[in-house]
Amino acid sequence: MDSSANKPARSSSEGSGGFTSPFSGYSLHGAEAIQVVLPEQGGLLGPATLLSPTVVWARSPGEPGALSRTRTLSVCLDTGGAVIGPLTGELHWSDAAGGALGLQLRDVTRQQGERILTLLDAELLRGLAVPEASPLPVQEELTGAERMGEVLRKIAAMGHKAVVRRPGQTARMTLEGLDEAAGLLTWRCAEPLADWGPAPMELEVVGYNSAYRMLLETHARAGHLWVTRLPERMWRVRHRWHRRVPAPEGTRVRFEHPLWPELGVLQREVVDLSYSGLSLRSGTGDLLFPGLFLPLQVETARGERIALRCEVRHVSFSQADGRRLCGLEVRPLNPADAVAWTRLVSETLSPSTRSGGDWLEPLWGLYEASGYFNLAGRSAPQFDALRRDFTELSGRTAKLPHLFCQTVWPSERGVEASLSALKPYLHTWMLHHLGRRPGKPAQAPPVPGQILRDIYQHTLEHTQIDPDLRWMISYAESTVPWVQRTHLAFAQRLGAEGQALVMPLRLMDAECAEMSDEPRGEDVEIGPASLGEKLLLARELARTRPASYVEALDFSRERLELRGASRMWMQEGLTRERRVLVARREGVAVAALVLELGPPGTNLFRLMDSARLFPLGPGGPDTYVALLDEARRWFALRGRTAFVYLCEDAGGYARRARLHDDPAMRPFLWVIPASRIPEFLEHIQEQSVGRQQRSHPIPVSL
């Protein structure tokens, strides 16, 4: 029985003085490799199932009732040839079935800790110990010529490295050619290969944040070139939530061991990093192990220091020098460190992109050149009034990475492309403000589509920093070919699983000074929604809208008033508000008006100053014109001159309500779960690779 079953919830406050989790270290899979002995309690407790210098779990055949939860215990670890101990332990945990007991080890000396970790190193090398913190990869089977062709074209264009493995043999390869008509792949081998025989060879290609595995049959061989048949299927294995890249040269960490400060201040080289993690080269005497909470300070080559809270997640060994490679999960210590860490990682992950805060004038020029201001029937002069608000707010967003991300791809022409994101709801980020300048810069990347890939990667990877992220949304224009190949095609792929939403709607402008002049009707009363009416609205939305819509847009019963999201924005001195008004006939609510307010300039299409209408009873749509006039008054009182109406029905009342939109446009609301963002980024790579440089603008996301 493995102790991982039926464990209580993890708690970082437990462990040795808060320095480790109650499940730190390694799960042990050797049947009787290490025995836990309680010499003062009658001898053998049972085989260890999980072990670190601070925690040991043992499989116990007896009842735990005879052991006191508060009594100090003497504990020994019997390896069959040696004994480690006595150690001081306390019984703290047991699994639900009572078959495994967890003991907290106290006051373990450095020498004892070193002996335990040396023992675990040996078990790790034998394959009998597994880091408890290591997550399992997620696999997806890929079939179909079209889908596999997209992936293989990307692999060839990006030059991703491949490894061929058979027992006792390994070789590195790259994909040079893809002949889909003949069903053949051409690979270049970096070193000579022995005769692989008739059996298929297993090949693995490391991509953006996934590895692709396939079995290939050899068709022909000529020197370093190998021709294989197309695989019947492929398997995608996601390695991690965040992409990791080599750390900038000179990046180091400083730390003191939280259990054994006598080791002194240690300095180690950072090997790679991501938004949520880093790995470092560790000496054999550092005594680091999975589950250990480790405060450390990152020092960059330019002298910047960033304080992080870390948990050791993985320990492996270099075959070259035997040194440990430690993987850590990291969190910045405070908001200032969060800004510095985000900047360091984003510049490392996407060296060609920058934060838009320093590029505001060229960014506005990009929007003009890209045709962004012509979306939805608009023209550039209509945006001039928002320019000052946009500039002032954008100057603040770089210091608020938990709410905003503004990515630009600079060049000698100014800004080549830009994409932004913001967090309008408690668990949701929204992509918007995507533009791409026509033509290409003098120093254009050699691989087509790299500029768009860079800004998507930077922006979406930024949103993944948020531990509360559950949904990604955007309002995009379906007539744009790029949107059809990316946002729409990806949503269609997920559609069979019910995990994506594409909802057509109309984005209609409403000027606050342009009232409908229609009489409200003597039997219609409009006012703030009562608690019961809000609950009625939440029930209607749950009944008539997809769950992804309700959850992503904070229309659930618990979040209908937007208090959680409003609090996040208000803490930074920014406006974020939702108000629900209802139209009543004879005291009965027949329609609801949902109004949302955001800081001026947040979105150039005023998507943060929006209105939605929902029927609640018979005749509800008959009150929509009156409700929209009430929306004009509400926004005008808050200093707005206009807002956008998000029309989710046919909009037959639009002319009477004096709403305006471009009938040629086909916007839609796009929603995907955050868990599919890595796959969406893979899809962006597949769709951008090999496309010819466009000679006209790419305005996409509103």
Side-chain angles (χ1 to χ4, degrees):
M1 172 180 172
D2 181 79
S3 67
S4 62
N6 301 316
K7 290 176 181 174
R10 291 180 181 270
S11 171
S12 61
S13 63
E14 297 183 88
S16 183
F19 298 137
T20 65
S21 79
F23 308 110
S24 63
Y26 298 84
S27 293
L28 300 171
H29 303 286
E32 307 291 332
I34 302 172
Q35 297 289 330
V36 179
V37 179
L38 305 179
E40 297 177 356
Q41 306 296 321
L44 183 65
L45 176 62
T49 58
L50 184 141
L51 178 62
S52 80
T54 60
V55 174
V56 60
W57 282 74
R59 187 166 64 247
S60 174
E63 290 293 328
L67 300 176
S68 169
R69 290 179 60 85
T70 59
R71 182 176 178 181
T72 300
L73 304 172
S74 179
V75 182
C76 293
L77 303 175
D78 187 346
T79 66
V83 174
I84 301 176
L87 307 170
T88 301
E90 296 177 359
L91 178 63
H92 273 268
W93 313 283
S94 63
D95 68 9
L101 302 177
L103 288 85
Q104 177 73 69
L105 301 180
R106 300 283 186 185
D107 304 321
V108 175
T109 67
R110 180 180 61 81
Q111 292 78 11
Q112 291 171 332
E114 189 170 7
R115 289 189 65 190
I116 292 173
L117 291 176
T118 300
L119 173 64
L120 289 170
D121 287 347
E123 297 301 297
L124 182 65
L125 294 173
R126 292 171 59 198
L128 300 179
V130 178
E132 173 66 16
S134 296
L136 294 175
V138 177
Q139 296 191 22
E140 175 192 8
E141 183 174 321
L142 307 179
T143 57
E146 182 178 354
R147 177 74 178 107
M148 290 195 297
E150 291 175 348
V151 173
L152 291 166
R153 283 192 295 272
K154 179 195 70 171
I155 290 171
M158 300 295 292
H160 292 317
K161 304 302 180 184
V163 177
V164 178
R165 293 190 180 92
R166 292 191 73 179
Q169 294 177 292
T170 301
R172 292 170 292 126
M173 306 180 85
T174 54
L175 179 60
E176 288 205 343
L178 168 62
D179 187 339
E180 295 183 69
L184 298 175
L185 302 171
T186 301
W187 303 84
R188 177 171 294 278
C189 184
E191 53 265 313
L193 277 173
D195 184 8
W196 289 78
M201 56 184 178
E202 180 180 307
L203 182 139
E204 182 176 288
V205 184
V206 177
Y208 158 69
N209 65 355
S210 299
Y212 296 93
R213 294 174 184 165
M214 61 196 85
L215 296 176
L216 298 173
E217 296 278 358
T218 303
H219 180 75
R221 174 183 175 185
H224 287 272
L225 291 180
W226 284 65
V227 180
T228 68
R229 295 183 179 88
L230 281 169
E232 295 182 359
R233 58 180 52 84
M234 300 164 59
W235 294 270
R236 185 175 60 82
V237 182
R238 183 184 301 167
H239 285 311
R240 50 179 61 96
W241 178 239
H242 294 123
R243 179 169 58 110
R244 287 197 179 191
V245 293
E249 186 176 353
T251 307
R252 300 177 65 82
V253 296
R254 292 167 52 91
F255 62 92
E256 290 189 26
H257 200 292
L259 295 176
W260 302 296
E262 63 266 28
L263 292 172
V265 178
L266 303 175
Q267 295 191 45
R268 296 291 179 257
E269 171 193 0
V270 178
V271 178
D272 58 34
L273 49 77
S274 73
Y275 282 114
S276 60
L278 60 83
S279 65
L280 55 90
R281 297 202 185 280
S282 172
T284 56
D286 291 355
L287 305 184
L288 302 180
F289 56 90
L292 179 68
F293 298 123
L294 186 69
L296 57 76
Q297 187 176 76
V298 174
E299 295 182 353
T300 67
R302 58 193 180 199
E304 190 174 24
R305 296 185 176 184
I306 307 169
L308 302 174
R309 295 187 297 260
C310 306
E311 180 186 354
V312 179
R313 299 285 291 173
H314 182 78
V315 179
S316 59
F317 293 90
S318 168
Q319 295 182 351
D321 57 14
R323 296 176 64 187
R324 288 176 174 82
L325 187 68
C326 288
L328 294 90
E329 182 180 15
V330 308
R331 288 188 182 278
L333 193 61
N334 56 51
D337 290 311
V339 172
W341 178 250
T342 300
R343 182 172 59 249
L344 171 65
V345 176
S346 63
E347 291 177 358
T348 305
L349 288 171
S350 303
S352 299
T353 61
R354 292 291 182 267
S355 168
D358 299 327
W359 297 83
L360 295 180
E361 288 302 319
L363 181 59
W364 196 266
L366 165 71
Y367 292 148
E368 292 178 325
S370 69
Y372 183 81
F373 291 151
N374 296 324
L375 283 174
R378 309 290 183 88
S379 61
Q382 292 177 272
F383 291 89
D384 289 341
L386 293 173
R387 184 167 184 170
R388 186 182 68 178
D389 291 332
F390 172 80
T391 302
E392 290 179 355
L393 182 64
S394 296
R396 300 179 57 185
T397 58
K399 299 179 181 179
L400 304 173
H402 58 296
L403 292 178
F404 298 94
C405 176
Q406 190 176 74
T407 304
V408 301
W409 207 102
S411 77
E412 76 283 351
R413 301 196 302 172
V415 172
E416 292 298 318
S418 179
L419 177 63
S420 299
L422 59 88
K423 188 177 182 180
Y425 305 108
L426 190 61
H427 299 296
T428 304
W429 281 73
M430 181 178 82
L431 293 176
H432 68 139
H433 289 174
L434 172 62
R436 171 76 167 87
R437 188 181 294 274
K440 61 181 179 179
Q443 301 298 323
V447 180
Q450 188 64 51
I451 293 176
L452 284 173
R453 286 194 297 278
D454 284 348
I455 63 171
Y456 266 91
Q457 284 180 187
H458 183 144
T459 306
L460 285 165
E461 287 175 340
H462 179 102
T463 67
Q464 290 177 296
I465 305 171
D466 183 0
D468 294 325
L469 174 65
R470 297 181 188 171
W471 301 96
M472 180 62 62
I473 69 171
S474 71
Y475 295 88
E477 175 51 49
S478 62
T479 59
V480 177
W482 170 255
V483 173
Q484 295 169 2
R485 298 198 310 269
T486 55
H487 293 241
L488 285 174
F490 184 76
Q492 289 167 359
R493 184 190 302 173
L494 299 184
E497 305 173 31
Q499 294 196 16
L501 172 66
V502 173
M503 174 182 284
L505 44 72
R506 296 171 69 181
L507 302 179
M508 313 187 80
D509 293 326
E511 298 292 331
C512 292
E514 191 179 14
M515 304 293 284
S516 72
D517 294 332
E518 281 198 1
R520 174 182 297 185
E522 296 181 359
D523 62 337
V524 176
E525 173 202 354
I526 296 177
S530 67
L531 177 59
E533 290 165 338
K534 291 176 183 177
L535 294 177
L536 172 62
L537 172 61
R539 287 197 299 269
E540 283 298 299
L541 289 172
R543 186 180 66 84
T544 61
R545 298 295 188 275
S548 56
Y549 176 101
V550 172
E551 289 297 317
L553 303 182
D554 279 2
F555 277 129
S556 65
R557 175 178 175 178
E558 298 78 15
R559 301 197 301 274
L560 184 63
E561 295 179 315
L562 212 66
R563 289 175 180 166
S566 296
R567 189 179 304 113
M568 292 187 304
W569 288 62
M570 291 176 62
Q571 287 173 347
E572 306 300 340
L574 299 173
T575 302
R576 185 77 179 111
E577 181 181 355
R578 175 182 279 173
R579 183 67 58 88
V580 180
L581 305 179
V582 295
R584 306 181 185 93
R585 281 197 173 99
E586 297 181 358
V588 177
V590 294
L593 169 68
V594 179
L595 304 165
E596 292 186 17
L597 191 74
T602 310
N603 177 270
L604 295 175
F605 283 83
R606 293 190 172 94
L607 288 173
M608 297 292 283
D609 293 340
S610 66
R612 281 184 168 91
L613 289 168
F614 304 100
L616 297 179
D622 296 338
T623 66
Y624 281 4
V625 173
L627 283 168
L628 287 166
D629 280 343
E630 192 64 31
R632 291 182 168 93
R633 298 185 186 95
W634 189 86
F635 280 108
L637 286 173
R638 286 154 181 80
R640 305 298 191 268
T641 60
F643 63 95
V644 62
Y645 171 52
L646 302 172
C647 179
E648 299 178 6
D649 56 25
Y653 47 87
R655 179 172 295 182
R656 293 188 295 115
R658 297 191 178 181
L659 303 173
H660 311 281
D661 70 340
D662 183 350
M665 304 301 286
R666 296 289 185 270
F668 63 92
L669 168 65
W670 177 84
V671 183
I672 65 170
S675 61
R676 309 312 284 264
I677 289 176
E679 295 169 53
F680 180 58
L681 283 170
E682 296 276 7
H683 182 73
I684 291 292
Q685 288 203 347
E686 293 163 11
Q687 295 303 312
S688 59
V689 164
R691 301 287 177 179
Q692 295 297 316
Q693 176 67 43
R694 295 174 63 101
S695 60
H696 55 281
I698 304 179
V700 180
S701 180
L702 304 177

